[in-house]
Amino acid sequence: LVHHQLETLEGYGKFINRKNEQNKLVRKRYIESYNNLCKGSFNKRINSYLETKENSKALNSINKAISQNKNNLIYKKYKAQILCEDKKFDDAIKIIDFLVEQSAVHVMLQEDMITLKHYILAQAISDKAESKYYLAKYLFHINDNQRAIKEANTSIFIKKKNTDAYNLLAEIYLKDNKLSKSSEIYQKSYKINKKNPETLLGLGNIEFYWDDYDKALEYYQMVLKRQKNNQDAMLNIAVCYALKKDFKSANSWIKKLLNINPYNYRAYYLLSFVDKSDRDFNLKKSLSINPVFADAWAELAKINLEDGNTKLAESYLAPLEYLSYKNFMYYYCIGLKYQS
C-alpha cells in the first residue's frame, strides 16, 4: 500500500486541486508516519505497556516519539488511544478532531480517526443510551455487525425514541442486504421524526435498492431541503440520474458535489461512467485521493483488459488482489485476462 501511495504521490498527485508542492509534502508526511508505525519494536513496547495497564509508561514513550518527529500523525493517533485508556477522554477527543482536520485528503486515516472517536465517546459519555449508540457505531465500523445490532437495540431499549440508534440499526441491516428489515426500522424512525435527514436518506436508499429511482430522488431532495450540502444525498441523486440514462443531470450534480468537496473520490469514480471521454483521468483522480479504493483499481484493470493492454491491467490487478480478493470484479478481470 505504501508503494502505491508513493506512485499516486509522484504520478497522480497533480490531479488534486491544491498546490502541488504542498500536496506532496502532506502525503510524504503521511507515508513517513505509516513507515515509522511499522517499526515492530516500537509497536511491541507500546502494546506491552497497554496490556499491563502501564499507561504512564506508554504515554512517556509516545511523547518521546512525538518530540523526535512532531509531524507524525500516526503517533498522535496512538497518543489519543493511550489517553482514552487512561480515561482522559477530553484530551483524546481534541487530538482526534485535530487529526481528522489534518488528514482530510487521506481517506484511510480519516475513517480510522472517526472510528476511534466513536470508541472514545462510547467510554466517555455518561448517558447509557448514547454510550451504547456510539459503541454500536464503533462495532459497525470494524464490521462486527452482530454485536453492533445488540448494542443498538440496547440503546433503543433504554431510550425509546432514539432515532440515531434506529437509523444505525437500519443501516446495518441494509449493509447485510436485509432490505425489508431495514425498511421497517427506517419507517419506525420516520414516525418519530419525519424531518431527520439520516432517516430520509436511508428511506431513499431503500427505494434505490428496490429500483424505484423516482421515489429515491424524492427522498434525497427532501434531505437537501434540510441539509443543502449533504454529500451522500447529492452523490446518490447523481447515481439515480445516471441509471435513468440522464447523464446531463448526473454530470451537473457531480459538479455541484465537487464544488463543495473537491476530495470526494466517489464523485470522480462516478464521473468516469458519466463522462467516458475522461474515464481514465477521473479513475486515477479518484485513486489519487484514496489509493485503497478497490472499485477504481478494478475499473482501470477492466478498461485496459478490454483494450488489450494486458501488462498495464496486471499492474492494476495487483493492488486489487491485495485490497479486496473477495471483490467479484477481481475475478471478472482475471477471467478477461485469461480470455485474452
Side-chain angles (χ1 to χ4, degrees):
L1 289 180
V2 171
H3 168 71
H4 285 292
Q5 181 79 344
L6 279 164
E7 273 198 355
T8 61
L9 169 67
E10 300 303 329
Y12 307 146
K14 61 187 177 185
F15 293 124
I16 299 281
N17 297 323
R18 291 179 65 181
K19 289 180 181 176
N20 200 34
E21 287 309 309
Q22 183 187 358
N23 185 46
K24 278 190 175 185
L25 225 94
V26 174
R27 294 172 87 77
K28 279 183 177 173
R29 186 173 72 185
Y30 177 65
I31 294 162
E32 285 170 8
S33 299
Y34 188 88
N35 283 331
N36 286 327
L37 183 66
C38 292
K39 292 176 182 174
S41 58
F42 176 78
N43 254 338
K44 285 178 183 176
R45 186 165 72 252
I46 294 290
N47 287 329
S48 66
Y49 287 148
L50 291 176
E51 284 170 12
T52 54
K53 307 293 182 186
E54 295 179 274
N55 296 335
S56 60
K57 286 185 178 179
L59 194 58
N60 287 337
S61 187
I62 201 69
N63 280 334
K64 187 177 179 182
I66 290 171
S67 70
Q68 292 171 357
N69 186 355
K70 292 180 181 179
N71 290 325
N72 193 311
L73 303 179
I74 304 292
Y75 282 174
K76 289 177 183 176
K77 177 210 161 190
Y78 235 132
K79 183 173 181 177
Q81 288 177 270
I82 295 164
L83 289 169
C84 176
E85 295 298 323
D86 210 22
K87 311 285 185 198
K88 295 174 181 174
F89 302 121
D90 288 343
D91 292 337
I93 291 291
K94 282 178 186 175
I95 292 173
I96 294 298
D97 287 340
F98 166 79
L99 288 173
V100 168
E101 185 182 337
Q102 293 296 307
S103 58
V105 295
H106 306 300
V107 178
M108 294 176 290
L109 185 57
Q110 190 179 45
E111 289 178 356
D112 199 18
M113 294 300 101
I114 292 167
T115 301
L116 179 55
K117 185 173 183 177
H118 291 151
Y119 174 74
I120 295 169
L121 288 169
Q123 298 187 64
I125 293 174
S126 56
D127 184 303
K128 197 165 183 181
E130 285 291 291
S131 175
K132 291 290 183 183
Y133 163 69
Y134 280 112
L135 180 57
K137 284 203 79 155
Y138 166 73
L139 292 167
F140 178 49
H141 280 301
I142 64 169
N143 296 314
D144 192 344
N145 288 358
Q146 289 307 308
R147 286 180 63 201
I149 289 169
K150 180 184 174 185
E151 298 300 339
N153 276 318
T154 303
S155 179
I156 292 166
F157 179 78
I158 298 166
K159 185 180 176 182
K160 303 299 181 189
K161 293 187 176 182
N162 191 340
T163 52
D164 288 339
Y166 272 119
N167 289 336
L168 175 61
L169 193 58
E171 188 182 354
I172 296 168
Y173 282 119
L174 183 61
K175 187 181 178 183
D176 285 344
N177 206 30
K178 296 176 181 176
L179 300 185
S180 296
K181 183 70 174 175
S182 178
S183 176
E184 178 191 328
I185 297 168
Y186 274 128
Q187 290 294 345
K188 286 181 181 178
S189 181
Y190 184 71
K191 285 178 182 177
I192 298 167
N193 183 358
K194 292 179 170 60
K195 296 181 179 180
N196 187 305
E198 288 301 316
T199 306
L200 295 169
L201 184 70
L203 288 168
N205 291 341
I206 293 291
E207 298 297 339
F208 174 85
Y209 284 112
W210 279 334
D211 297 332
D212 191 340
Y213 303 128
D214 290 326
K215 189 68 177 174
L217 283 167
E218 287 179 27
Y219 279 117
Y220 296 145
Q221 292 287 4
M222 288 165 71
V223 173
L224 294 178
K225 283 181 181 177
R226 289 153 182 83
Q227 288 182 345
K228 66 177 183 178
N229 290 337
N230 188 299
Q231 294 181 43
D232 289 330
M234 294 175 86
L235 185 66
N236 291 355
I237 287 172
V239 173
C240 285
Y241 278 122
L243 291 169
K244 284 161 63 73
K245 309 296 183 187
D246 184 350
F247 298 116
K248 185 177 179 182
S249 295
N251 199 317
S252 174
W253 277 100
I254 293 168
K255 294 294 171 63
K256 284 180 187 176
L257 173 52
L258 290 173
N259 282 335
I260 293 167
N261 178 14
Y263 300 113
N264 193 310
Y265 64 96
R266 292 186 183 276
Y268 289 114
Y269 175 74
L270 179 58
L271 193 58
S272 73
F273 293 92
V274 172
D275 182 5
K276 294 194 176 181
S277 63
D278 281 330
R279 195 168 189 190
D280 190 75
F281 175 89
N282 285 312
L283 286 169
K284 288 175 180 177
K285 198 163 185 176
S286 176
L287 284 168
S288 75
I289 299 166
N290 183 7
V292 296
F293 185 33
D295 289 353
W297 287 113
E299 277 305 314
L300 282 170
K302 177 174 169 281
I303 290 166
N304 282 280
L305 282 167
E306 288 172 346
D307 289 345
N309 301 323
T310 309
K311 194 168 183 180
L312 186 56
E314 284 176 346
S315 73
Y316 297 134
L317 282 172
L320 179 60
E321 180 185 15
Y322 180 79
L323 290 168
S324 186
Y325 68 92
K326 291 183 179 179
N327 188 314
F328 78 94
M329 279 295 292
Y330 170 71
Y331 295 100
Y332 175 73
C333 289
I334 291 294
L336 282 179
K337 175 187 166 185
Y338 286 121
Q339 188 181 54
S340 66

